[in-house]
């Protein structure tokens, strides 16, 4: 790669140096804060040699480079007046809508695994009950129901902890505030039918179990109150007085004003959405089904979560998420249509694989890697989603359980009166999108580009075939829970554009060498390490998502570039509690960045894993 030319092309295509407020880089990406993202020519950037893709996260424009990112970054500095990382501040503040979306997404994302797991249990329990395997009176049913329902009943506590991390306040004080609102004596007091007052002020009876907006408002307010009290209280009294006064102020204020206001807002949103579907019917479903993919691209889908949760709590069902199923099936169908039509063997295989992945609920590879790249298939996917959404609205399909997956694994979420209609409708957007894709056709990937497609997927920092590799085993660098890359909340990793591998949710903050070899890169912020094994495998260990922003805080590196290590040697340590408290997701991708050099990369382990246990085999 000609780093100087790549850097010059990037500088020109992002709108010139005048459009750059700041640029930093992490282990794999250039991260730009730009004055105007709209003037960026993403299509041309993605064709620049060495660029493997682009992504927009919030207001940040990211260019995926891979292992060569430090060299491209340095070339950008050499060809501009930007002298050092972080020497410029982005004077750009988020607008109110962006800030609200950011809070909702940042709050819900960490708790989604708990909600998804609980929802799946409720779905399986519903199947067992409908098949007559269990009765609602059996003790097994009661216990399983408590497991599935617990996360939803005590949802305000989960949200309080997550919101406190987002707002930078004490998570345990936030949990205590939520627990007070859910205390049985408060619930009993509200259900008594008597008028309730606190110090002469009327308290409106509100059901806080499973609620969303009241606790978000309460913890947002608590973050300001706690910060204000912390500033005025002498240091020797902070430990006792700050949490005490915060709870004494926030809980009554929530009971008197914030809780009822949040409930009113939530109910109004639910009523508004319900009225839209009641009055617009098929049109509402078509619009939502046809635009879900666009909504997801902007991150605005998180704004629907409070409405969905309120619908499930107050009505027992939701009519919004069925349209998301339709949108996903549309993306899957469009990718399938590309697979049928394409003459390029490599791209045909890619399209078929991503179609299957999208059917299973993970749409990013199909949407970004195939349909948007070909343009017309993406339009076909939107059409398929609109037709499917119209059908679901017409027959009144309902979503009863928050199952955490909007693909075939989440079909249990439809178990209820409209289950059969839901199942019958799943193929509709798939078939429509596939047919429209086939009819509209597209400009196929030329055969001579096959090598380039493989190279992009491999994300190798050397040409495919330049390194001789042999089969080998990769050992776990962490103790934790093994998860698939699709569960990583970053499309760059989840879509496997960086390469294949696994992710681990750590339970200890120690990273050890997964192979014997040479340390190729210890990133300056110490959140990521690259290592090349003795057999040629290039491994990237990336601790957490967006942890580059911590600038090395809470990380300690035990190795440096060029060090020779053996399996199990300590590489770095990190403070899990501090990083989590700062609001960062600790899920850690372990990527084989020269994926293209291997025929198969096969995970060997599910569930809990100890460090130095075999987790991947390369052949």
């Amino acid at each position: 790669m000609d780093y100087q030319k790549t850097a010059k092309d990037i500088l020109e295509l992002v709108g010139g140096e005048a459009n750059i407020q700041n640029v930093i880089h992490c282990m794999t990406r250039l991260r730009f804060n730009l004055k105007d993202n709209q003037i960026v020519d993403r299509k041309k950037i993605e064709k620049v040699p060495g660029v493997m893709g682009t992504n927009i996260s919030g207001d940040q424009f990211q260019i995926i480079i891979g292992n060569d990112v430090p060299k491209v970054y340095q070339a950008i500095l050499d060809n501009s007046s930007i002298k050092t990382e972080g020497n410029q501040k982005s004077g750009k503040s988020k607008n109110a809508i962006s800030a609200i979306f950011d809070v909702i997404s940042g709050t819900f994302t960490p708790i989604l695994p708990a909600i998804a797991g609980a929802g799946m249990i409720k779905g399986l329990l519903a199947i067992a009950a409908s098949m007559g395997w269990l009765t609602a009176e059996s003790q097994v049913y009661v216990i399983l129901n408590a497991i599935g329902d617990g996360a939803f009943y005590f949802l305000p506590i989960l949200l309080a902890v997550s919101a406190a991390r987002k707002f930078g306040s004490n998570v345990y004080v936030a949990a205590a505030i939520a627990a007070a609102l859910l205390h049985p004596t408060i619930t009993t007091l509200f259900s008594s039918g008597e008028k309730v007052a606190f110090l002469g002020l009327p308290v409106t009876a509100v059901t806080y179990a499973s609620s969303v907006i009241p606790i978000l408002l309460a913890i947002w307010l608590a973050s300001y109150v706690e910060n204000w009290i912390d500033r005025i209280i002498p240091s020797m009294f902070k430990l006792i007085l700050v949490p005490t006064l915060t709870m004494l102020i926030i809980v009554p204020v929530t009971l008197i004003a914030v809780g009822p206001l949040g409930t009113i807002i939530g109910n109004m949103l639910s009523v508004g959405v319900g009225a839209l579907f009641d009055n617009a019917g098929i049109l509402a479903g078509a619009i939502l089904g046809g635009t879900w993919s666009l909504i997801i691209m902007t991150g605005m889908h998180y704004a629907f979560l409070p409405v969905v949760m309120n619908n499930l709590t107050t009505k027992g069902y939701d009519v919004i998420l069925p349209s998301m199923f339709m949108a996903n099936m549309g993306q899957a169908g469009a990718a399938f249509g590309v697979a049928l039509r394409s003459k390029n063997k490599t791209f045909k295989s890619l399209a078929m694989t991503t179609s299957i992945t999208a059917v299973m609920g993970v749409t990013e590879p199909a949407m970004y890697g195939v349909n948007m790249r070909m343009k017309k298939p993406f339009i076909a996917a939107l059409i398929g989603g609109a037709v499917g959404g119209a059908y679901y609205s017409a027959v009144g399909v309902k979503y009863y359980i928050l199952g955490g997956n909007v693909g075939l694994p989440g079909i249990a979420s439809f178990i209820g009166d409209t289950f059969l209609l839901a199942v019958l409708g799943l193929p509709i957007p798939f078939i429509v999108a596939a047919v429209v894709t086939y009819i509209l056709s597209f400009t196929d990937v030329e055969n001579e580009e096959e090598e380039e497609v493989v190279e992009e997927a491999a994300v190798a920092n050397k040409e495919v075939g330049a390194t001789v590799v042999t089969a080998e085993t990769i050992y776990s660098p962490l103790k934790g829970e093994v998860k698939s890359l699709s569960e990583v909340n970053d499309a760059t990793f989840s879509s496997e554009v960086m390469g294949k591998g696994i992710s681990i949710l750590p339970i200890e903050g120690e990273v050890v060498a997964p192979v014997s070899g040479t340390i190729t890169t210890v990133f300056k912020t110490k959140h990521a390490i690259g290592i090349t094994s003795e057999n040629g495998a290039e491994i990237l260990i990336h601790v957490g998502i967006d942890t580059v922003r911590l600038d090395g805080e809470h990380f300690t590196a035990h190795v440096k570039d060029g060090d020779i290590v053996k399996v199990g040697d300590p590489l770095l340590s990190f403070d899990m509690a501090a990083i989590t408290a700062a609001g960062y997701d600790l899920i850690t991708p372990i990527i084989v960045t020269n994926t293209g050099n291997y025929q198969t990369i096969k995970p060997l382990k599910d569930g809990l894993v100890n460090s130095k246990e075999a987790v991947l085999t390369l052949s």
Side-chain angles (χ1 to χ4, degrees):
M1 183 196 306
D2 185 338
Y3 304 115
Q4 295 296 321
K5 184 176 187 309
T6 296
K8 290 176 182 177
D9 289 344
I10 288 173
L11 282 169
E12 178 185 349
L13 296 172
V14 297
E17 187 178 338
N19 194 38
I20 300 173
Q21 293 178 319
N22 188 33
V23 58
I24 60 173
H25 74 95
C26 61
M27 195 71 178
T28 57
R29 281 170 272 190
L30 295 168
R31 295 167 175 258
F32 288 89
N33 288 107
L34 303 174
K35 295 176 182 177
D36 185 0
N37 285 335
Q38 300 300 316
I39 66 174
V40 175
D41 194 332
R42 291 183 67 174
K43 295 178 183 177
K44 288 187 178 179
I45 288 177
E46 290 172 354
K47 293 180 181 179
V48 171
V51 173
M52 293 161 191
T54 60
N55 183 46
I56 294 180
S57 177
D59 291 328
Q60 191 178 77
F61 181 71
Q62 302 173 355
I63 300 178
I64 305 162
I65 301 294
N67 294 343
D68 285 330
V69 68
K71 296 175 182 177
V72 175
Y73 172 77
Q74 186 58 50
I76 285 176
L77 297 186
D78 293 342
N79 287 278
S80 69
S81 60
I82 304 171
K83 297 302 180 186
T84 58
E85 285 188 6
N87 68 336
Q88 299 175 18
K89 300 292 183 183
S90 169
K92 188 176 180 181
S93 60
K94 293 182 179 177
N95 60 45
I97 294 177
S98 295
I100 291 172
F101 288 161
D102 181 60
V103 167
I104 293 174
S105 64
T107 301
F108 270 94
T109 299
I111 69 170
L112 283 179
I115 296 176
M120 189 58 66
I121 292 170
K122 288 170 72 71
L124 294 174
L125 192 59
I127 293 174
S130 65
M131 298 295 290
W133 300 335
L134 288 174
T135 64
E137 293 76 25
S138 72
Q139 294 179 350
V140 173
Y141 181 95
V142 171
I143 292 173
L144 290 177
N145 187 59
I147 297 172
D149 199 50
F152 294 96
Y153 185 87
F154 294 104
L155 181 63
I157 295 179
L158 300 180
L159 285 171
V161 171
S162 188
R165 287 174 175 166
K166 183 67 180 175
F167 295 130
S169 56
N170 189 296
V171 296
Y172 302 105
V173 172
I177 292 170
L181 299 176
L182 294 171
H183 198 279
T185 56
I186 296 291
T187 304
T188 302
L189 184 64
F190 285 165
S191 61
S192 67
E194 299 178 3
K195 290 185 177 180
V196 181
F198 180 78
L199 298 179
L201 297 172
V203 175
T204 303
V206 170
T207 301
Y208 289 99
S210 304
S211 65
V212 173
I213 295 180
I215 196 65
L216 291 180
L217 292 175
I219 303 307
W220 171 72
L221 181 62
S223 67
Y224 286 97
V225 171
E226 181 182 302
N227 185 54
W228 174 71
I229 294 173
D230 185 72
R231 288 202 308 268
I232 64 174
I233 296 294
S235 298
M236 68 180 71
F237 301 120
K238 287 182 186 292
L239 180 63
I240 299 298
L241 291 184
V242 172
T244 300
L245 294 175
T246 300
M247 287 189 286
L248 282 176
I249 293 172
I250 293 300
V251 174
V253 168
T254 300
L255 291 172
I256 294 167
V258 175
L261 175 63
T263 301
I264 291 170
I265 293 173
N267 289 337
M268 287 176 62
L269 290 172
S270 295
V271 169
V273 171
L276 178 64
F277 277 85
D278 289 340
N279 296 316
I282 295 176
L283 180 61
I287 292 173
L288 199 53
T291 58
W292 256 120
S293 296
L294 299 173
I295 291 171
I296 290 172
M297 289 169 60
T298 65
M300 291 171 61
H301 57 296
Y302 285 105
F304 288 88
L305 278 172
V307 183
V308 170
M309 293 300 301
N310 194 72
N311 286 340
L312 292 172
T313 302
T314 59
K315 299 178 180 179
Y317 65 86
D318 172 65
V319 293
I320 296 176
L321 286 185
S323 297
M324 192 172 184
F325 268 85
M326 297 291 92
N328 283 2
M329 290 300 160
Q331 293 293 338
F336 183 75
V338 171
L340 293 179
R341 186 100 190 185
S342 178
K343 303 301 182 184
N344 183 305
K345 293 180 180 179
T346 301
F347 197 67
K348 178 188 287 286
S349 176
L350 174 66
M352 183 62 72
T353 301
T354 59
S355 174
I356 295 171
T357 304
V359 167
M360 300 306 290
V362 181
T363 59
E364 285 89 348
M367 186 161 67
Y368 294 111
V370 177
N371 299 335
M372 289 186 68
R373 179 175 180 177
M374 297 293 100
K375 301 180 183 65
K376 289 181 181 178
F378 185 71
I379 296 173
L382 301 185
I383 293 172
V387 173
Y391 164 79
Y392 266 9
S393 293
V395 299
V397 168
K398 297 180 178 64
Y399 185 94
Y400 296 95
I401 302 164
L402 192 62
N405 183 287
V406 280
L408 284 185
I411 198 170
S413 301
F414 290 111
I415 292 177
D417 295 339
T418 60
F419 179 70
L420 182 59
L421 294 171
V423 173
L424 292 174
L426 285 176
I428 292 176
F430 186 96
I431 294 171
V432 170
V435 171
V436 173
T437 296
Y438 199 87
I439 293 173
L440 290 179
S441 189
F442 49 85
T443 303
D444 201 3
V445 175
E446 296 179 8
N447 288 325
E448 55 263 33
E449 289 185 3
E450 286 193 37
E451 224 176 277
E452 180 182 337
V453 172
V454 174
E455 231 174 80
E456 289 179 359
V459 196
N461 65 336
K462 300 171 185 174
E463 291 182 4
V464 173
T467 302
V468 177
V469 298
T470 59
E472 70 174 299
T473 299
I474 308 299
Y475 298 89
S476 177
L478 290 158
K479 181 178 181 180
E481 183 180 359
V482 175
K483 296 179 176 292
S484 70
L485 286 179
S486 64
E487 297 183 64
V488 177
N489 188 32
D490 187 314
T492 302
F493 293 116
S494 63
S495 64
E496 298 185 349
V497 68
M498 293 303 305
K500 294 183 180 296
I502 59 169
S503 64
I504 296 178
L505 187 61
I507 57 178
E508 289 184 0
E510 300 292 335
V511 178
V512 301
V515 292
S516 296
T518 305
I519 301 298
T520 51
T521 307
V522 179
F523 196 64
K524 64 184 297 183
T525 55
K526 295 171 283 190
H527 73 293
I529 284 183
I531 178 172
T532 300
S533 77
E534 294 171 345
N535 296 321
E538 297 171 4
I539 312 296
L540 168 65
I541 305 168
H542 194 287
V543 180
I545 303 302
D546 282 337
T547 45
V548 63
R549 297 179 182 178
L550 290 171
D551 198 27
E553 189 176 2
H554 312 310
F555 289 92
T556 302
H558 304 305
V559 291
K560 61 184 184 298
D561 291 5
D563 282 357
I564 306 298
V565 296
K566 297 294 183 184
V567 172
D569 286 352
L571 300 183
L572 66 84
S573 305
F574 55 96
D575 188 333
M576 291 181 57
I579 295 171
T580 303
Y584 292 92
D585 184 354
L586 274 175
I587 194 166
T588 299
I590 295 98
I591 307 293
V592 180
T593 57
N594 60 338
T595 288
N597 288 12
Y598 297 92
Q599 281 191 328
T600 60
I601 296 177
K602 181 181 178 182
L604 299 176
K605 187 82 175 177
D606 287 324
L608 293 178
V609 65
N610 290 313
S611 57
K612 296 183 285 185
E613 278 191 66
V615 290
L616 286 171
T617 180
L618 315 183
S619 62

